[in-house]
């Protein structure tokens, strides 16, 4: 039996309809921007392995940091104990996150969001405000697959089957936009009107607003304008509603700045980080908050404490990987690579026969009807893409160079032309 057959017999894969699932590609090794299958065929990883990889696969600096850490301290309980890699990582991140000074560790993006939701809820309870029990979120937002994260991702379409079990959420339309979008002003006005309606009716019942900053990832890499987020935040803050920025996907340079909230110059009350935190090596997450939120949990008695924690909280190997990844991110050459990827995206998208072409930082996306056909043909030609519905996106590791991206766009353009003969572009 080959690996694919052995897998089929025993493994249940994520987000997969097993009955009709296509044959799985067994990956033997990975290096830089490429993963290699059993026949040693390379695939350019244009989805950064579900958005986690930053600096390329098997990066020696991160690998060494993990190895060195593992032979001195692999793990220790984090209640009542601490260690250098955790403290150093938070000190270092703090220098990039002005105004955010308290760091709570967990294991993945969903738990980083759960922690923010629970802290926001308990923040009000601890101060005797029992009314603020509702959350505000955007239609189509995706925040993870655990119950709290599913509740606020109510309209994502992924979790409808569980909706009877969700807590109360109010939603706002997300004004997605793209190149040459003439309707954006109307879409934003419509969304702001919906928000004002909620605030007029229920502002004093709302605990927090949660936003995927600038880009809704799993909803199809839908992008909005930074000014819009600015308006939303300043509106909700008039009512003291807490603000959670879910930067699980957009953190660590993805949107062109270290964190996407820098582009709106707003300091949130909570920032959720995961995916790129360890450069794509190990699962680790952080929920970062303010001194103001932290102080609301301080008391002589335990009952105001935040009673939450995972067995692998602040795993030292994860922290060591994150520190090494952060060192790479802070190199001048990394920001230059990020800029080069942005330029290559703009050039590559310009003459693609596709609709709703859009770019933010290192993420490019467009819509085509035949996205699944495109995916299949791309895989044949050594390009790893994974469209979300009709939305195709390219989100490469920062190790990807301009000529690799140009070649990828050429292949995609040719495939699209073969699917839609006679169409040059839809400008
Ligand atoms: C992926 C993602 C999550 C969930 O992260 P997991 O590590 O998959 O649990 C949450 N929020 C956003 C914005 C994401 O993209």
């Amino acid at each position: 039996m080959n690996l694919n057959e052995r897998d089929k017999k025993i493994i249940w894969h994520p987000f997969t309809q097993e009955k009709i699932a296509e044959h799985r590609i067994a990956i033997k090794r990975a290096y830089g921007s490429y993963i290699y299958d059993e026949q040693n065929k390379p695939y350019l990883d244009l989805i950064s392995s579900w958005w986690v990889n930053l600096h390329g696969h098997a990066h020696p600096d991160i690998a060494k940091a993990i190895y060195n850490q593992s032979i001195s301290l692999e793990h220790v309980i984090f209640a009542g104990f601490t260690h250098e890699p955790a403290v150093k990582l938070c000190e270092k991140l703090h220098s990039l996150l002005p105004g955010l000074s308290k760091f709570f560790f967990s294991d993945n993006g969903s738990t980083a969001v759960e922690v923010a939701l629970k802290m926001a809820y308990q923040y009000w309870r601890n101060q005797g405000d029992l009314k603020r029990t509702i959350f505000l979120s955007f239609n189509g937002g995706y925040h993870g697959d655990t119950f709290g994260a599913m509740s606020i991702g109510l309209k994502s379409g992924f979790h409808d089957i569980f909706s009877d079990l969700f807590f109360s959420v109010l939603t706002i339309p997300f004004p997605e936009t793209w190149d040459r979008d003439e309707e954006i002003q109307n879409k934003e006005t419509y969304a702001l009107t919906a928000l004002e309606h909620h605030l007029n009716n229920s502002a004093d019942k709302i605990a927090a607003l949660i936003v995927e900053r600038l880009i809704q990832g799993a909803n199809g890499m839908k992008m909005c304008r930074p000014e819009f987020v600015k308006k939303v935040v300043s509106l909700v803050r008039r009512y003291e509603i807490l603000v959670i920025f879910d930067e699980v996907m957009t953190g660590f340079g993805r949107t062109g700045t270290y964190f996407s909230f820098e582009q709106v110059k707003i300091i949130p009350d909570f920032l959720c980080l995961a995916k790129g935190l360890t450069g794509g090596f190990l699962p680790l997450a952080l929920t970062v908050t303010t001194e103001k939120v932290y102080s609301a949990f301080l008391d002589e008695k335990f009952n105001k404490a935040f009673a939450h924690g995972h067995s692998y909280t602040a795993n030292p190997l994860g922290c060591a990987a994150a520190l090494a990844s952060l060192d790479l991110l802070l190199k001048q050459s990394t920001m230059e690579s990020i800029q080069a990827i942005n330029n290559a995206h703009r050039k590559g998208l310009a003459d693609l026969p596709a609709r709703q072409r859009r770019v933010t930082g290192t993420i490019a996306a467009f819509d085509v009807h035949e996205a699944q056909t495109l995916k299949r043909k791309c895989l044949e030609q050594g390009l790893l893409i994974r469209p979300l519905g009709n939305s195709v996106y390219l989100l490469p590791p920062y190790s990807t160079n301009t000529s690799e991206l140009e070649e990828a766009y050429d292949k995609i353009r040719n495939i699209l032309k073969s699917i839609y003969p006679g169409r040059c572009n839809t400008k």
Side-chain angles (χ1 to χ4, degrees):
M1 261 196 296
N2 67 27
L3 194 58
N4 200 35
E5 289 159 352
R6 283 162 53 206
D7 170 291
K8 190 90 191 160
K9 261 189 132 75
I10 199 158
I11 294 177
W12 189 346
H13 284 258
F15 272 103
T16 301
Q17 174 44 266
E18 294 277 337
K19 181 159 182 164
I20 54 169
E22 291 167 17
H23 135 107
R24 277 138 201 164
I25 302 171
I27 295 302
K28 198 123 195 188
R29 65 189 180 94
Y31 193 74
S33 304
Y34 295 87
I35 58 175
Y36 298 83
D37 72 10
E38 287 182 305
Q39 283 73 44
N40 218 19
K41 173 180 170 177
Y43 299 82
L44 183 63
D45 184 358
L46 289 170
I47 62 168
S48 293
S49 284
W50 251 352
W51 324 342
V52 300
N53 194 287
L54 295 186
H55 310 291
H57 290 276
H59 196 292
D61 293 11
I62 304 178
K64 272 182 216 143
I66 294 172
Y67 174 75
N68 288 336
Q69 184 59 45
S70 71
I71 52 173
S72 71
L73 171 67
E74 84 302 340
H75 188 66
V76 64
I77 177 176
F78 207 60
F81 295 85
T82 190
H83 51 77
E84 172 92 17
V87 175
K88 208 167 151 189
L89 173 62
C90 297
E91 285 171 351
K92 208 157 198 173
L93 276 170
H94 176 55
S95 65
L96 298 176
L97 302 171
L100 293 168
S101 51
K102 292 293 174 188
F103 291 71
F104 193 94
F105 281 97
S106 66
D107 303 340
N108 56 61
S110 306
T111 56
V113 168
E114 292 291 333
V115 165
L117 296 173
K118 286 175 71 174
M119 279 181 177
Y121 185 89
Q122 191 177 340
Y123 170 83
W124 294 110
R125 298 242 136 193
N126 277 1
Q127 297 175 98
D129 185 334
L130 307 182
K131 282 204 310 287
R132 293 201 187 241
T133 56
I134 300 177
F135 288 87
L136 196 55
S137 72
F138 281 89
N139 278 350
Y142 173 83
H143 302 282
D145 299 336
T146 50
F147 268 98
M150 288 197 294
S151 295
I152 47 163
L154 176 66
K155 302 263 172 85
S156 73
F158 289 121
H159 308 122
D160 293 355
I161 209 157
F162 301 106
S163 58
D164 284 352
L165 303 173
F166 295 169
F167 54 69
S168 297
V169 173
L170 295 170
T171 58
I172 316 160
F174 184 79
E176 55 171 311
T177 191
W178 46 81
D179 286 352
R180 279 177 275 260
D181 174 14
E182 281 157 16
E183 289 299 311
I184 184 57
Q185 203 60 51
N186 293 339
K187 286 185 270 188
E188 288 182 0
T189 307
Y190 177 68
L192 290 169
T193 308
L195 171 61
E196 278 164 4
H197 174 80
H198 289 322
L199 293 174
N200 289 336
N201 290 324
S202 341
D204 61 345
K205 299 191 192 73
I206 301 173
L209 160 83
I210 181 155
V211 201
E212 269 175 282
R213 292 280 309 98
L214 299 180
I215 305 179
Q216 285 191 330
N219 191 31
M221 297 296 160
K222 301 208 162 129
M223 305 185 182
C224 75
R225 300 198 295 186
E227 308 87 77
F228 169 74
V229 180
K230 231 173 170 161
K231 282 183 199 153
V232 168
V233 171
S234 69
L235 265 173
V236 305
R237 282 203 158 151
R238 279 190 214 157
Y239 302 90
E240 293 178 71
I241 294 167
L242 298 171
V243 174
I244 305 169
F245 281 173
D246 178 352
E247 291 227 37
V248 167
M249 182 196 70
T250 53
F252 306 102
R254 272 284 158 220
T255 63
T257 44
Y258 291 130
F259 299 95
S260 80
F261 75 87
E262 293 166 44
Q263 294 174 40
V264 285
K265 301 191 173 61
I266 294 166
I267 297 162
D269 299 286
F270 299 94
L271 180 69
C272 305
L273 301 173
K275 293 199 169 109
L277 177 57
T278 63
F281 274 66
L282 288 166
L284 187 75
L286 277 166
T287 306
V288 197
T289 188
T290 60
E291 216 53 56
K292 177 181 103 173
V293 169
Y294 178 76
S295 353
F297 290 73
L298 304 179
D299 198 61
E300 301 306 322
K301 291 191 295 291
F302 183 81
N303 63 349
K304 283 193 179 176
F306 188 56
H308 184 113
H310 302 278
S311 322
Y312 279 98
T313 295
N315 174 251
L317 306 184
C319 294
L323 276 164
S325 176
L326 211 50
D327 282 345
L328 292 168
L329 183 71
L330 295 176
K331 278 187 175 173
Q332 175 68 22
S333 57
T334 304
M335 261 305 152
E336 286 162 14
S337 305
I338 287 172
Q339 189 55 50
I341 290 171
N342 181 265
N343 294 340
H345 278 328
R346 289 181 188 284
K347 231 176 101 201
L349 281 187
D351 51 356
L352 217 56
R355 292 172 288 122
Q356 306 188 351
R357 288 165 291 177
R358 50 202 188 268
V359 183
T360 300
T362 64
I363 306 172
F366 55 89
D367 285 25
V368 287
H369 288 302
E370 303 293 332
Q372 295 309 320
T373 311
L374 176 66
K375 170 189 168 184
R376 215 177 41 248
K377 296 195 172 196
C378 278
L379 280 173
E380 278 165 22
Q381 298 191 27
L383 297 180
L384 172 53
I385 62 166
R386 189 182 158 89
L388 296 152
N390 290 335
S391 298
V392 180
Y393 64 90
L394 276 65
L395 191 155
Y398 309 152
S399 50
T400 316
N401 65 37
T402 303
S403 60
E404 287 165 330
L405 278 174
E406 277 174 1
E407 200 182 310
Y409 274 106
D410 282 345
K411 284 182 181 171
I412 291 171
R413 194 176 304 109
N414 288 334
I415 296 170
L416 288 177
K417 279 182 185 161
S418 73
I419 301 176
Y420 304 113
R423 182 131 51 114
C424 348
N425 70 42
T426 52
K427 260 177 210 168

